[in-house]
Amino acid sequence: MHHPDAMPRIWRVLGDKRGDNAQVEIVAEALAQERGWVSELRHLEMLPQFVVGKPRVGPTLYHIDQSLSDPIEPPWPDLILTRGRRPANVALWIKKQSGGRTRIVLVGKPAGWFSHQMAQFDLIVTSAETLPAPFDNVMQIDLPLMKISPERLEAGRKAWQARLGALPRPLVVFLIGGPTSPFVYNTEMEAQLRARMARVLATGGTPYIVGSRRTPKGFLDRVTAGLPEGVQRFDWTQPDDQNPYTGLLALADRFVVTGDSISMLVEVARLGKALEILPLPFGPLGKLDDARRRAAAWMFQARRNTGLAERLRLTLARGLYHMRMLQQTRHFPRFHQILIDRGLATWMGESQDARMGDRPALSATDSDVARILARIDPLLSGR
């Protein structure tokens, strides 16, 4: 490791998920600008079976393709910035090789039952949709750090201006994620989307539906079946053209986003675009699962109170987590309500006639990043 007076060696240990990586990059950029600390990228390629499949949690390299990944070798870093199960496993392996001297900042919820690994992360930064157990190394912020860079947005504007500018207005974009527990994509949800797109067509506008890698095969066909001409679409599973996502972010008037996609919700909200959330129906055991998540929300959420009752709650919450009786989780309704309470979104179908795009862009990441940097500084003070 470095002498205390030297610049710390910092690695960004990242896979191929652009949304995940962008949040880590924001922290890395802030460290460079505010502290003068430059970081090095260690890009990871997964073995084919782990591109989608989940590796076991722990300090290991067995899930990565080392021939295609950047070299993971000493001298080991003072600090690792990472996100996601697969890169976090590699970060834990590096820390083990360093004799525990490497510090790890994990941006996002630890994967699975991490009770035996939580303490190995020196700082865990989570946003409001995630509910990790309330340990001292956990820090919560409201919204994920993800945002579309001005450069990428402008590139999308230039590339798509001619095609999107010719479409009848308003241009209303439907961004579709995919089913995630405890929610499902079913015929009721398809009917709601179809009715909302029909209302856009009835006003003379253009509905533009965009799938993602998680969107079920055939879903876009079912949703658009029977609608009049004028619906535009991009199907990730059967792309006929390049992905219009950044062009739509730059040029569309309004967005409807399925409630499962935190990343798309946040990217639209930060741009100041008019945003509607489509809440999803529960699956067969969804209500029971939702009750479990609400219990975790009550037990795990951070509170400012430091009285005896609060200390007892923290002790109980940590104990239940260690005994695997209450798992860290995500609570989508809680996150949706934060967006609505802050005036960043409405439920789908509400305020449809409101003036488009009249809210200023949201630039709340600065204060959150400053808080994160303040937590990182002590991690490196004794290196």
Side-chain angles (χ1 to χ4, degrees):
M1 309 298 279
H2 290 355
H3 186 277
D5 292 333
M7 181 180 295
R9 182 185 297 273
I10 302 173
W11 287 3
R12 306 184 321 275
V13 176
L14 301 172
D16 64 351
K17 293 187 177 181
R18 176 180 284 181
D20 286 357
N21 296 351
Q23 297 190 64
V24 172
E25 297 290 358
I26 287 174
V27 178
E29 290 169 8
L31 285 172
Q33 294 172 3
E34 302 296 328
R35 304 291 188 270
W37 297 345
V38 178
S39 60
E40 305 170 35
L41 174 63
R42 292 296 184 271
H43 177 76
L44 307 175
E45 288 288 341
M46 305 302 148
L47 291 171
Q49 64 268 38
F50 296 117
V51 171
V52 176
K54 294 180 179 180
R56 64 177 181 269
V57 171
T60 179
L61 302 182
Y62 87 104
H63 58 299
I64 70 170
D65 188 330
Q66 296 188 53
S67 67
L68 297 178
S69 300
D70 288 337
I72 306 298
E73 57 191 24
W76 302 120
D78 300 291
L79 178 70
I80 291 175
L81 306 173
T82 192
R83 178 177 170 88
R85 174 194 295 256
R86 297 160 185 82
N89 279 355
V90 176
L92 289 170
W93 184 88
I94 293 169
K95 182 168 187 172
K96 186 175 181 180
Q97 307 313 304
S98 76
R101 294 187 299 274
T102 295
R103 303 289 183 252
I104 303 175
V105 174
L106 177 70
V107 182
K109 180 178 75 70
W113 286 106
F114 246 120
S115 59
H116 61 297
Q117 302 290 351
M118 285 275 289
Q120 295 302 310
F121 295 101
D122 299 276
L123 178 61
I124 299 169
V125 181
T126 68
S127 44
E129 81 280 6
T130 64
L131 298 168
F135 292 102
D136 292 337
N137 58 339
V138 173
M139 171 185 176
Q140 281 210 304
I141 58 178
D142 269 357
L143 302 183
L145 297 177
M146 60 187 61
K147 62 180 179 180
I148 298 292
S149 70
E151 296 78 15
R152 187 180 167 207
L153 198 66
E154 185 57 29
R157 183 190 306 277
K158 290 179 179 178
W160 287 88
Q161 179 67 61
R163 279 177 281 185
L164 298 181
L167 296 174
R169 297 282 171 159
L171 174 56
V172 181
V173 177
F174 293 76
L175 298 177
I176 311 300
T180 185
S181 180
F183 306 110
V184 295
Y185 278 31
N186 59 13
T187 54
E188 173 194 350
M189 178 254 201
E190 292 171 10
Q192 289 178 304
L193 276 172
R194 190 160 46 248
R196 184 69 182 92
M197 285 191 284
R199 288 196 292 272
V200 176
L201 290 167
T203 66
T206 302
Y208 202 129
I209 187 167
V210 179
S212 66
R213 69 174 68 191
R214 295 191 300 110
T215 304
K217 187 175 181 179
F219 179 82
L220 299 193
D221 292 332
R222 294 192 298 273
V223 169
T224 56
L227 288 174
E229 291 186 7
V231 177
Q232 303 293 312
R233 56 183 279 173
F234 174 81
D235 190 340
W236 183 281
T237 61
Q238 297 177 324
D240 296 322
D241 201 350
Q242 64 186 126
N243 194 328
Y245 183 67
T246 53
L248 291 168
L249 287 179
L251 296 165
D253 300 304
R254 195 174 193 90
F255 292 81
V256 176
V257 183
T258 55
D260 58 273
S261 183
I262 299 298
S263 60
M264 292 191 291
L265 285 168
V266 172
E267 286 176 346
V268 173
R270 289 203 185 279
L271 292 175
K273 298 282 188 172
L275 171 61
E276 299 177 27
I277 304 171
L278 171 58
L280 301 177
F282 289 122
L285 299 177
K287 291 186 177 180
L288 182 62
D289 192 13
D290 183 59
R292 176 184 66 82
R293 292 171 191 265
R294 290 181 184 276
W298 187 85
M299 290 297 297
F300 288 173
Q301 65 183 321
R303 296 183 177 91
R304 294 182 180 179
N305 179 19
T306 59
L308 176 60
E310 174 64 5
R311 294 197 300 273
L312 290 174
R313 182 189 68 86
L314 287 174
T315 301
L316 178 59
R318 292 165 180 169
L320 290 173
Y321 178 75
H322 277 307
M323 291 186 290
R324 299 195 173 192
M325 296 179 65
L326 196 59
Q327 185 181 17
Q328 60 192 9
T329 185
R330 293 181 296 176
H331 193 235
F332 291 92
R334 178 171 175 260
F335 182 74
H336 299 158
Q337 197 61 51
I338 287 174
L339 292 178
I340 289 171
D341 290 345
R342 292 181 60 177
L344 303 175
T346 63
W347 298 115
M348 188 180 78
E350 294 182 1
S351 304
Q352 293 173 20
D353 300 323
R355 195 153 51 93
M356 303 292 185
D358 58 355
R359 181 172 52 76
L362 181 68
S363 58
T365 56
D366 292 345
S367 59
D368 289 332
V369 170
R371 291 174 55 211
I372 294 169
L373 297 193
R375 292 286 297 269
I376 290 177
D377 287 338
L379 301 181
L380 296 172
S381 61
R383 76 182 198 281

